[in-house]
Amino acid sequence: MERYNFKKTEKKWQDYWDKNKSFKCEINNNKKKFYCLEMFPYPSGKIHMGHVRNYTIGDVLSRFKSMQGFNVLHPMGWDSFGMPAENAAKENNLHPKNWTEKNISVMKNQLKKIGLSIDWDREISTCSEEYYKHQQLFFIELFKKDLVYRKENYVNWDPIDETVLANEQVIDGKGWRSGAIVERKKLNQWFFNISKFSEDLLSGLNELKNWPNKVKIMQKNWIGKSFGCEIDFKIEGDLPIKEIKCFTTRPDTLFGFSFLAVSVDHPISKYFEKDPKFSDFKKECSKTGTTEESIAQGEKIGFKTKLLAINPLNPKQKVPVYFANFVLMDYGFGAVFGCPAHDQRDLDFAIKYNLSFKTVVKPIDETDEFEVNNEAYTGAGKIINSDFLNDLKVPDESIIKTIEILEEKRIGKKKINFRLKDWGVSRQRYWGCPIPIAYDPDGNVLTIPKDQLPVKLPDEIDLKSKGNPLDKKKEWKSVTIDGKKCVRETDTLDTFVDSSWYFLRFCSPKNHDYGFDLESIKYWMPVDQYIGGIEHAILHLLYSRFFVKALRDTGHISINEPFKGLFTQGMVTHKTFKNKSNEWLEPEKIFSKDGVYMDLNNNAVSVGKIEKMSKSKKNGVDPSYIISNSWPNCKTHGETDDIKGFKQRDFSMVRYNYCPSILIEEFFMTNFLDFEMITDDTFLHYLACCHVSSIVHIHQNGY
């Protein structure tokens, strides 16, 4: 039997699909719809096999649903604004637009070679003026609904990318792209009022029956609904400060009160501004980011005042008041009471500054003599050493009872607090969606009139200079509104804004007057199956949910959630390689010789650990390379071959190289490949086999 020539056969059918628009879809009220969507790619230059895994899953599902008679929407676009393009433009002396468009062309060609069932007539790019003009209109509408505002605030500052990062974009105290240690900086910023939707976002998780539970838990924890108490602490000292208000989830530990800590941005800081030691302390605090992760990892430092805080449940007890770098002004009231025995952060601080502390909670199986030393006890148990609170069960009885007592004394009241903070969307860069705002000569905020949208980026730009390039474009900054000479806002929007509504645009991508039309939204939304990485559980997925709810409240859509089903596909991994100059190398430029990995110039390279395929470490594998180079060299079972970085293993996997149908059957029937345990080699072979013949085989066998 003649060996299946996938190159010839696949091209034949791909050409047919393209010519006949086989995957083009329109609204059809006589058919059930199915909206399948994968998270769209950033046009970094090449598609890698991590992308292919994502898109192949969506392709198989889309074809299967189509065979079942559904009207399938399966679109594709490009998340094309962002700092990587700006940085690449600097390095290669190119304009970000040219760099981006070139990459889109390359990556689109790659995707077409794979043979995905995509309706390319719906293709969008977020850096297109036709796209972001609608985004600017959304911004203005949300501004008029008080869902967008501007304020001066401490932000996470990435010193490498020289831009602001949202809390969600800081990972382990470092910038999510640059890896730089994040600093704190005070700037005027634009915010989306996402915190207004805290309860809605939290309760809405109950609707998402077809989401992975782990993703819902991650969002629930990030929203962070907490039940606690608002307490007024009386203050003594030589300053006109009579009380400081704070929020706590553990009022039952008040008898373990050791210190009161306030943020350096707290209103009482004005009394210390002339103190040079306080000024130095404040500068030191700026080296700590504004996220909980940054604070947790950073050294806890404090500035002792001469003020004393009085324990509301034990007025004889007076403790010192400190400014501390681990207290944020935007949580609670910018003040916390320290109970070292039952909070590790507080304990570390108390030990550092030689503060006394008392144990007030013991485990159930311990005696009343139980004492905390170097490790805080945060578990359940009973109250001890707390006068009239003793023997209350922790936390079920103790918290409620303590709040009741504080309310009776009128020195506290129960309160619900949320961890979720408003989304800072200002970015100090060129390659992003311009914010449609201007300022008149008196500093008043004005929205750009609709007939002046879109606010376009200037074509000529100097990316070599430090800071925001748009600040230096005097002519572009100047704009006339209602006869007044005004100055444009020079910050651009966070790219996560671009991806927070793109799924709506796919429903009617040619609609010129608005970002979408209602008829299309009513038919196609919500997305039935969304596919993408779990790394976006907090960022993209939370922001998209907020955006839909915000647009719902403006009256434009009626849905509550954007994605009915979610599948997090795991990740494809590969070895990492570096040359002698410590530069990352692509796997295509590596081959194995006598067990030693070499570059194409026969220089030995160092081999790093197997990691998730990423642009930064250049360990992504180009599917075009596999399609072009691997399969002509296919051999029968028992033979192996080295193909520039891809070692075929001597096991049954090899025999499937020439028969995609058998591989797919094996996968579906025996779970030969575990989706969460797939290695680079095996999955490369699996994905490269996912062509139409395989899918037809699946359908015919009823899998």
Side-chain angles (χ1 to χ4, degrees):
M1 186 172 91
E2 185 180 355
R3 178 178 291 186
Y4 172 63
N5 188 329
F6 82 90
K7 284 187 177 180
K8 181 180 178 180
T9 305
E10 297 293 323
K11 187 176 186 311
K12 170 187 172 182
W13 288 108
Q14 288 169 22
D15 290 345
Y16 176 88
W17 298 335
D18 194 49
K19 181 181 178 181
N20 292 276
K21 297 187 181 296
S22 300
F23 308 116
K24 183 177 176 64
C25 64
E26 301 289 350
I27 292 175
N28 185 343
N29 291 311
N30 296 319
K31 295 178 77 175
K32 282 187 176 181
K33 67 92 180 182
F34 188 83
Y35 187 175
C36 183
L37 184 64
E38 304 90 27
M39 294 181 185
F40 62 171
Y42 182 82
S44 57
K46 289 181 181 179
I47 292 290
H48 60 65
M49 293 305 294
H51 295 110
V52 177
R53 179 182 192 182
N54 193 3
Y55 305 141
T56 301
I57 294 168
D59 185 59
V60 172
L61 181 59
S62 295
R63 292 178 184 272
F64 180 66
K65 285 296 184 178
S66 181
M67 291 172 183
Q68 288 186 315
F70 284 82
N71 186 23
V72 176
L73 172 58
H74 187 209
M76 180 60 66
W78 311 97
D79 192 11
S80 49
F81 269 139
M83 186 60 75
E86 196 159 323
N87 290 339
K90 289 179 184 178
E91 293 171 9
N92 299 294
N93 200 28
L94 291 171
H95 194 284
K97 182 179 180 181
N98 296 336
W99 185 86
T100 300
E101 290 178 347
K102 179 183 177 182
N103 289 343
I104 287 175
S105 177
V106 171
M107 294 170 74
K108 184 176 179 178
N109 184 56
Q110 287 180 290
L111 288 177
K112 284 199 167 187
K113 282 185 178 180
I114 297 168
L116 304 175
S117 56
I118 289 171
D119 182 358
W120 285 106
D121 284 354
R122 293 177 181 263
E123 181 183 8
I124 61 173
S125 177
T126 60
C127 70
S128 162
E129 294 168 5
E130 184 56 34
Y131 183 87
Y132 69 71
K133 76 174 185 181
H134 302 297
Q135 186 165 296
Q136 291 173 344
L137 183 58
F138 293 154
F139 184 96
I140 292 170
E141 290 179 342
L142 296 183
F143 175 78
K144 292 178 179 179
K145 289 285 187 176
D146 295 324
L147 295 177
V148 176
Y149 65 92
R150 184 173 181 258
K151 71 173 181 179
E152 190 175 51
N153 195 42
Y154 278 100
V155 296
N156 302 303
W157 181 257
D158 188 317
I160 299 297
D161 284 343
E162 295 187 320
T163 190
V164 170
L165 301 176
N167 284 347
E168 296 86 346
Q169 294 167 315
V170 180
I171 311 298
D172 296 329
K174 299 177 181 179
W176 74 296
R177 286 196 183 278
S178 71
I181 296 174
V182 170
E183 300 173 354
R184 186 164 63 166
K185 192 171 184 178
K186 199 169 191 178
L187 293 172
N188 266 311
Q189 297 284 289
W190 284 97
F191 291 83
F192 279 159
N193 193 358
I194 189 173
S195 63
K196 181 180 179 180
F197 294 84
S198 295
E199 187 65 56
D200 197 352
L201 288 165
L202 185 62
S203 62
L205 293 171
N206 297 324
E207 298 180 30
L208 305 176
K209 307 298 184 184
N210 296 321
W211 277 43
N213 194 49
K214 58 184 177 181
V215 174
K216 292 193 286 186
I217 290 173
M218 290 168 73
Q219 289 209 4
K220 181 181 178 181
N221 291 339
W222 190 262
I223 296 166
K225 184 177 183 178
S226 56
F227 172 77
C229 186
E230 180 182 304
I231 303 174
D232 297 318
F233 287 91
K234 300 296 182 183
I235 303 297
E236 289 185 357
D238 57 355
L239 295 173
I241 303 169
K242 301 303 179 184
E243 65 179 30
I244 294 176
K245 190 186 296 290
C246 80
F247 171 81
T248 178
T249 58
R250 294 301 306 274
D252 55 332
T253 62
L254 268 169
F255 280 95
F257 188 29
S258 179
F259 63 91
L260 188 70
V262 298
S263 166
V264 293
D265 305 311
H266 196 279
I268 71 167
S269 65
K270 66 183 180 182
Y271 298 108
F272 299 86
E273 290 175 348
K274 295 181 180 179
D275 186 337
K277 292 183 179 178
F278 179 72
S279 297
D280 291 342
F281 173 75
K282 199 169 181 178
K283 288 178 183 177
E284 192 65 24
C285 289
S286 68
K287 297 177 182 178
T288 306
T290 66
T291 67
E292 292 181 23
E293 290 79 8
S294 300
I295 292 167
Q297 294 179 9
E299 182 186 3
K300 313 303 183 291
I301 58 174
F303 179 87
K304 188 178 182 180
T305 72
K306 294 180 180 180
L307 302 173
L308 295 173
I310 300 172
N311 191 331
L313 295 183
N314 181 18
K316 293 181 180 180
Q317 184 191 16
K318 301 175 183 180
V319 302
V321 177
Y322 281 82
F323 288 100
N325 68 334
F326 59 83
V327 184
L328 300 177
M329 193 62 221
D330 59 356
Y331 181 79
F333 301 97
V336 298
F337 85 83
C339 180
H342 307 292
D343 185 293
Q344 192 61 46
R345 178 198 60 189
D346 294 350
L347 182 58
D348 294 341
F349 188 84
I351 292 173
K352 180 173 182 174
Y353 292 101
N354 296 312
L355 301 174
S356 62
F357 58 90
K358 182 167 64 174
T359 302
V360 294
V361 179
K362 68 159 190 169
I364 292 292
D365 56 351
E366 289 281 354
T367 67
D368 288 358
E369 282 68 46
F370 172 76
E371 287 188 0
V372 166
N373 293 308
N374 295 317
E375 185 176 345
Y377 179 68
T378 59
K382 282 192 175 183
I383 297 291
I384 59 174
N385 302 321
S386 299
D387 198 2
F388 49 82
L389 298 180
N390 285 340
D391 294 327
L392 289 173
K393 292 181 181 178
V394 177
D396 298 336
E397 295 177 348
S398 59
I399 295 174
I400 295 173
K401 183 62 177 177
T402 306
I403 293 174
E404 288 177 357
I405 292 170
L406 290 167
E407 287 186 323
E408 286 174 7
K409 293 177 177 289
R410 296 185 178 181
I411 52 177
K413 60 181 179 180
K414 61 183 176 184
K415 183 179 176 67
I416 292 174
N417 205 38
F418 290 93
R419 178 175 181 256
L420 181 64
K421 302 299 181 292
D422 285 340
W423 175 14
V425 295
S426 295
R427 298 294 180 266
Q428 295 68 41
R429 60 155 183 252
Y430 166 71
W431 195 237
C433 173
I435 295 176
I437 293 291
Y439 307 94
D440 71 14
D442 297 323
N444 298 311
V445 175
L446 302 175
T447 58
I448 302 296
K450 186 177 180 180
D451 61 4
Q452 294 186 29
L453 298 180
V455 178
K456 300 178 183 180
L457 291 168
D459 291 328
E460 301 295 324
I461 197 73
D462 179 15
L463 298 177
K464 301 284 184 173
S465 58
K466 287 278 187 180
N468 186 349
L470 291 175
D471 275 335
K472 302 170 179 66
K473 298 296 292 184
K474 291 183 180 181
E475 186 176 339
W476 178 84
K477 286 165 60 176
S478 179
V479 61
T480 300
I481 301 176
D482 296 331
K484 296 180 181 178
K485 288 187 177 181
C486 303
V487 179
R488 293 190 193 278
E489 171 65 69
T490 58
D491 286 353
T492 52
L493 288 173
D494 180 10
T495 53
F496 278 97
V497 180
D498 310 340
S499 58
S500 292
W501 69 281
Y502 80 108
F503 44 87
L504 299 172
R505 185 63 177 169
F506 277 136
C507 296
S508 46
K510 302 295 193 292
N511 196 44
H512 182 76
D513 296 328
Y514 200 70
F516 48 83
D517 67 70
L518 192 57
E519 182 187 8
S520 297
I521 295 298
K522 284 182 176 179
Y523 181 78
W524 290 115
M525 290 295 296
V527 175
D528 294 281
Q529 185 63 63
Y530 200 33
I531 304 166
I534 197 170
E535 68 270 20
H536 293 296
I538 302 300
L539 291 157
H540 165 61
L541 290 171
L542 188 63
Y543 294 156
S544 297
R545 294 182 63 221
F546 154 73
F547 218 85
V548 163
K549 294 176 187 297
L551 289 175
R552 175 202 63 195
D553 285 5
T554 63
H556 289 296
I557 57 178
S558 57
I559 58 172
N560 294 316
E561 295 288 342
F563 313 119
K564 185 178 179 180
L566 174 68
F567 180 70
T568 53
Q569 83 283 356
M571 61 184 67
V572 181
T573 62
H574 199 275
K575 294 183 182 72
T576 52
F577 303 98
K578 280 187 175 182
N579 61 17
K580 291 182 179 180
S581 301
N582 205 39
E583 297 169 327
W584 299 105
L585 298 174
E586 292 105 344
E588 297 100 303
K589 298 178 180 178
I590 307 297
F591 69 96
S592 176
K593 185 177 181 181
D594 299 326
V596 178
Y597 284 96
M598 316 283 287
D599 65 19
L600 298 181
N601 295 318
N602 290 313
N603 298 313
V605 300
S606 60
V607 183
K609 61 182 179 179
I610 294 175
E611 297 187 51
K612 171 191 172 184
M613 289 187 181
S614 74
K615 297 179 285 289
S616 60
K617 296 180 180 179
K618 296 186 178 181
N619 68 328
V621 176
D622 185 349
S624 301
Y625 180 84
I626 296 172
I627 292 171
S628 302
N629 295 279
S630 297
W631 262 254
N633 300 306
C634 288
K635 299 184 175 147
T636 58
H637 177 51
E639 297 179 293
T640 61
D641 192 24
D642 279 342
I643 308 173
K644 291 186 179 179
F646 312 117
K647 187 169 180 67
Q648 298 179 356
R649 297 175 181 169
D650 186 14
F651 67 113
S652 61
M653 197 65 214
V654 178
R655 68 185 172 93
Y656 296 140
N657 288 349
Y658 63 89
C659 189
S661 301
I662 295 176
L663 174 59
I664 300 295
E665 180 179 4
E666 184 89 10
F667 171 72
F668 278 91
M669 293 297 291
T670 68
N671 264 333
F672 179 70
L673 300 177
D674 183 338
F675 256 117
E676 297 304 322
M677 299 295 293
I678 292 172
T679 62
D680 50 329
D681 300 273
T682 58
F683 201 60
L684 294 179
H685 295 311
Y686 160 62
L687 288 179
C689 290
C690 283
H691 299 284
V692 67
S693 59
S694 308
I695 296 162
V696 170
H697 181 83
I698 293 171
H699 179 66
Q700 289 173 343
N701 287 274
Y703 302 151

